[in-house]
Amino acid sequence: PDLERQAEEKALRQQTILEAALKVFAAKGYAETSMADIGRAARLGKATLYYYFPTKNALYQAIYVRGTDTYYTKMISVLEAEQPKNIFKTMLTFYVEFMTQHDDFLKIFYPLGRSAPPQIIRSDEIQALRKRHLNRLDQILRVKLRMIHPEKQELVVQILWTFIMGLSSKLLRQTPVPLLLNEIETINSFMLRFVQG
């Protein structure tokens, strides 16, 4: 029971640090955030903070990995259950709804000029995580869109990511969600015409 309680306390403290750090990184950007800022936000001493995360890079990477994993895992399970004709609308709507609910994470995921050093995003762990999820997503889209030519499938995926980038910058500029959902309807019509044409 003691070991179990210690493990629970450790997990809870780690969660507290990650949540506090996410808020600070989202508000100030990577470069302007110090471990002292995060310690204050988490109401923990620097020694405790460094015990869990030895560097600011490690902490930022942990946030990025956790958020990215959550996003892709949830989205993929939604898309797996979706009808092919709804796949574009569902994918884009899920992105807008998820990032609206996790707007601090959006600022990490799509940082608009306030990004972390490239070595964090390009780290082996993050590259492997993204590759695993994007391969799975690619498989789902190929299965759902098997009525279109394979060459067109690659283009469809590229177009979708371009739309997602556009939606991201609009979310960061706080464009109202109903306007984004209207835009998704237009994008969806375009995509359906494109794959059927």
Side-chain angles (χ1 to χ4, degrees), residues 92 163 167 182-192:
L92 296 169
F163 284 135
L167 291 168
N182 281 343
E183 188 174 326
I184 286 170
E185 290 289 350
T186 307
I187 294 167
N188 186 56
S189 300
F190 165 78
M191 293 299 286
L192 288 174

Side-chain angles (χ1 to χ4, degrees), residues 33-101:
T33 298
S34 69
M35 288 295 264
D37 294 332
I38 294 165
R40 278 192 296 279
R43 297 193 175 140
L44 294 168
K46 269 172 103 176
T48 306
L49 201 57
Y50 282 108
Y51 170 77
Y52 286 92
F53 298 97
T55 63
K56 183 167 85 164
N57 275 16
L59 186 46
Y60 191 96
Q61 184 165 324
I63 290 166
Y64 192 93
V65 165
R66 187 176 77 154
T68 302
D69 200 37
T70 302
Y71 164 68
Y72 280 113
T73 302
K74 288 184 174 177
M75 182 180 67
I76 284 166
S77 74
V78 166
L79 293 183
E80 279 175 330
E82 192 50 89
Q83 296 296 313
K85 65 180 169 42
N86 298 330
I87 203 80
F88 304 124
K89 183 177 176 180
T90 299
M91 186 177 174
L92 296 169
T93 303
F94 179 87
Y95 183 81
V96 166
E97 289 173 351
F98 182 91
M99 293 302 178
T100 302
Q101 291 164 7

Side-chain angles (χ1 to χ4, degrees), residues 120-135:
I120 295 177
I121 308 306
R122 292 190 193 129
S123 72
D124 290 345
E125 183 184 2
I126 288 177
Q127 289 305 311
L129 172 77
R130 288 179 62 133
K131 189 175 179 187
R132 181 168 50 85
H133 284 307
L134 291 174
N135 284 344

Side-chain angles (χ1 to χ4, degrees), residues 102-168:
H102 303 87
D103 58 335
D104 283 340
F105 177 66
L106 174 63
K107 292 171 189 154
I108 304 286
F109 192 67
Y110 188 79
L112 270 192
R114 298 190 317 164
S115 55
Q119 71 266 22
I120 295 177
I121 308 306
R122 292 190 193 129
S123 72
D124 290 345
E125 183 184 2
I126 288 177
Q127 289 305 311
L129 172 77
R130 288 179 62 133
K131 189 175 179 187
R132 181 168 50 85
H133 284 307
L134 291 174
N135 284 344
R136 185 71 197 105
L137 184 58
D138 198 41
Q139 283 176 335
I140 292 167
L141 289 173
R142 283 182 196 287
V143 168
K144 302 284 181 183
L145 303 174
R146 64 173 153 244
M147 69 281 195
I148 68 169
H149 196 278
E151 279 177 24
K152 222 176 190 183
Q153 284 177 353
E154 201 157 309
L155 188 55
V156 163
V157 173
Q158 287 173 0
I159 293 169
L160 274 172
W161 285 116
T162 304
F163 284 135
I164 283 176
M165 300 263 296
L167 291 168
S168 299

